Short mmCIF file of all heavy atoms in Angstrom, two decimals:
data_model
loop_
_atom_site.label_atom_id
_atom_site.label_comp_id
_atom_site.label_asym_id
_atom_site.label_seq_id
_atom_site.Cartn_x
_atom_site.Cartn_y
_atom_site.Cartn_z
N HIS A 37 87.03 123.08 88.45
CA HIS A 37 87.44 122.64 89.78
C HIS A 37 86.52 121.50 90.19
O HIS A 37 85.30 121.69 90.33
CB HIS A 37 87.32 123.79 90.79
CG HIS A 37 88.14 125.00 90.41
ND1 HIS A 37 89.43 125.19 90.84
CD2 HIS A 37 87.83 126.08 89.63
CE1 HIS A 37 89.89 126.34 90.36
NE2 HIS A 37 88.93 126.89 89.62
N TYR A 66 90.23 118.21 93.81
CA TYR A 66 90.37 118.34 95.25
C TYR A 66 89.67 117.15 95.90
O TYR A 66 88.46 116.97 95.72
CB TYR A 66 89.74 119.64 95.75
CG TYR A 66 90.13 120.88 94.97
CD1 TYR A 66 89.50 121.19 93.76
CD2 TYR A 66 91.11 121.76 95.44
CE1 TYR A 66 89.84 122.32 93.04
CE2 TYR A 66 91.46 122.90 94.72
CZ TYR A 66 90.82 123.17 93.51
OH TYR A 66 91.15 124.30 92.80
N MET A 97 82.89 123.36 99.02
CA MET A 97 83.68 123.88 97.91
C MET A 97 84.25 125.29 98.14
O MET A 97 85.46 125.51 97.90
CB MET A 97 82.85 123.83 96.63
CG MET A 97 83.49 124.45 95.41
SD MET A 97 82.98 126.17 95.17
CE MET A 97 81.22 125.98 94.95
N PRO A 98 83.48 126.28 98.60
CA PRO A 98 84.05 127.62 98.75
C PRO A 98 85.22 127.70 99.73
O PRO A 98 86.07 128.58 99.62
CB PRO A 98 82.86 128.46 99.25
CG PRO A 98 81.66 127.73 98.75
CD PRO A 98 82.03 126.28 98.87
N MET A 99 85.27 126.76 100.69
CA MET A 99 86.36 126.78 101.66
C MET A 99 87.57 125.98 101.18
O MET A 99 88.64 126.06 101.77
CB MET A 99 85.87 126.21 103.01
CG MET A 99 84.62 126.91 103.54
SD MET A 99 84.76 128.72 103.53
CE MET A 99 86.11 128.96 104.67
N ILE A 100 87.39 125.20 100.13
CA ILE A 100 88.48 124.38 99.60
C ILE A 100 89.24 125.11 98.49
O ILE A 100 90.45 124.99 98.37
CB ILE A 100 87.92 123.04 99.07
CG1 ILE A 100 87.36 122.21 100.24
CG2 ILE A 100 88.96 122.26 98.30
CD1 ILE A 100 86.66 120.95 99.80
N LEU A 101 88.53 125.90 97.70
CA LEU A 101 89.16 126.57 96.56
C LEU A 101 90.13 127.65 97.01
O LEU A 101 89.97 128.23 98.08
CB LEU A 101 88.08 127.19 95.67
CG LEU A 101 87.10 126.24 94.99
CD1 LEU A 101 86.20 127.01 94.05
CD2 LEU A 101 87.83 125.14 94.24
N PRO A 102 91.15 127.93 96.21
CA PRO A 102 92.12 128.99 96.54
C PRO A 102 91.43 130.33 96.78
O PRO A 102 90.44 130.67 96.11
CB PRO A 102 93.02 129.05 95.31
CG PRO A 102 92.90 127.69 94.70
CD PRO A 102 91.49 127.25 94.94
N ALA A 103 91.96 131.10 97.71
CA ALA A 103 91.34 132.37 98.12
C ALA A 103 91.34 133.43 97.02
O ALA A 103 90.56 134.37 97.07
CB ALA A 103 92.05 132.91 99.37
N ASP A 104 92.23 133.27 96.03
CA ASP A 104 92.29 134.29 94.98
C ASP A 104 91.19 134.14 93.93
O ASP A 104 91.04 134.99 93.05
CB ASP A 104 93.67 134.30 94.31
CG ASP A 104 94.00 132.96 93.65
OD1 ASP A 104 93.35 131.94 94.00
OD2 ASP A 104 94.88 132.93 92.78
N ILE A 105 90.42 133.06 94.01
CA ILE A 105 89.28 132.90 93.08
C ILE A 105 88.08 133.60 93.70
O ILE A 105 87.62 133.24 94.78
CB ILE A 105 88.97 131.40 92.84
CG1 ILE A 105 90.19 130.70 92.25
CG2 ILE A 105 87.78 131.25 91.91
CD1 ILE A 105 90.03 129.20 92.13
N LYS A 106 87.58 134.60 93.03
CA LYS A 106 86.53 135.45 93.59
C LYS A 106 85.12 135.04 93.20
O LYS A 106 84.17 135.29 93.93
CB LYS A 106 86.76 136.91 93.16
CG LYS A 106 88.15 137.45 93.52
CD LYS A 106 88.41 137.37 95.02
CE LYS A 106 89.78 137.96 95.37
NZ LYS A 106 90.09 137.79 96.81
N ARG A 107 84.99 134.42 92.04
CA ARG A 107 83.65 134.05 91.55
C ARG A 107 83.72 132.69 90.89
O ARG A 107 84.72 132.35 90.25
CB ARG A 107 83.13 135.09 90.54
CG ARG A 107 81.83 134.67 89.86
CD ARG A 107 81.21 135.81 89.06
NE ARG A 107 80.73 136.87 89.92
CZ ARG A 107 79.69 137.65 89.64
NH1 ARG A 107 79.02 137.50 88.52
NH2 ARG A 107 79.31 138.60 90.47
N ASP A 165 79.55 134.41 94.64
CA ASP A 165 80.58 135.37 95.03
C ASP A 165 81.33 134.74 96.20
O ASP A 165 80.85 134.76 97.35
CB ASP A 165 79.92 136.69 95.45
CG ASP A 165 80.92 137.75 95.88
OD1 ASP A 165 82.07 137.39 96.23
OD2 ASP A 165 80.55 138.94 95.90
N LEU A 166 82.48 134.14 95.91
CA LEU A 166 83.19 133.38 96.93
C LEU A 166 83.66 134.26 98.09
O LEU A 166 83.65 133.82 99.24
CB LEU A 166 84.38 132.66 96.29
CG LEU A 166 84.02 131.51 95.35
CD1 LEU A 166 85.26 131.03 94.61
CD2 LEU A 166 83.38 130.36 96.10
N ALA A 167 84.04 135.48 97.78
CA ALA A 167 84.50 136.37 98.84
C ALA A 167 83.35 136.68 99.80
O ALA A 167 83.53 136.67 101.04
CB ALA A 167 85.06 137.66 98.24
N ARG A 168 82.18 136.93 99.26
CA ARG A 168 81.02 137.23 100.09
C ARG A 168 80.60 135.99 100.89
O ARG A 168 80.26 136.08 102.08
CB ARG A 168 79.87 137.72 99.21
CG ARG A 168 78.60 138.10 99.97
CD ARG A 168 78.83 139.27 100.90
NE ARG A 168 77.61 139.70 101.54
CZ ARG A 168 77.57 140.31 102.74
NH1 ARG A 168 78.70 140.58 103.39
NH2 ARG A 168 76.42 140.67 103.26
N ARG A 170 82.50 133.57 101.91
CA ARG A 170 83.46 133.37 102.99
C ARG A 170 83.29 134.42 104.08
O ARG A 170 83.42 134.12 105.28
CB ARG A 170 84.87 133.40 102.43
CG ARG A 170 85.20 132.21 101.53
CD ARG A 170 86.40 132.50 100.65
NE ARG A 170 86.73 131.36 99.78
CZ ARG A 170 87.33 131.48 98.60
NH1 ARG A 170 87.69 132.68 98.15
NH2 ARG A 170 87.60 130.41 97.88
#
Side-chain angles (χ1 to χ4, degrees):
H37 302 268
Y66 312 81
M97 175 265 299
M99 306 311 297
I100 294 174
L101 296 186
D104 60 341
I105 301 173
K106 304 302 182 185
R107 172 170 292 211
D165 179 339
L166 290 171
R168 182 64 175 153
R170 292 161 179 152

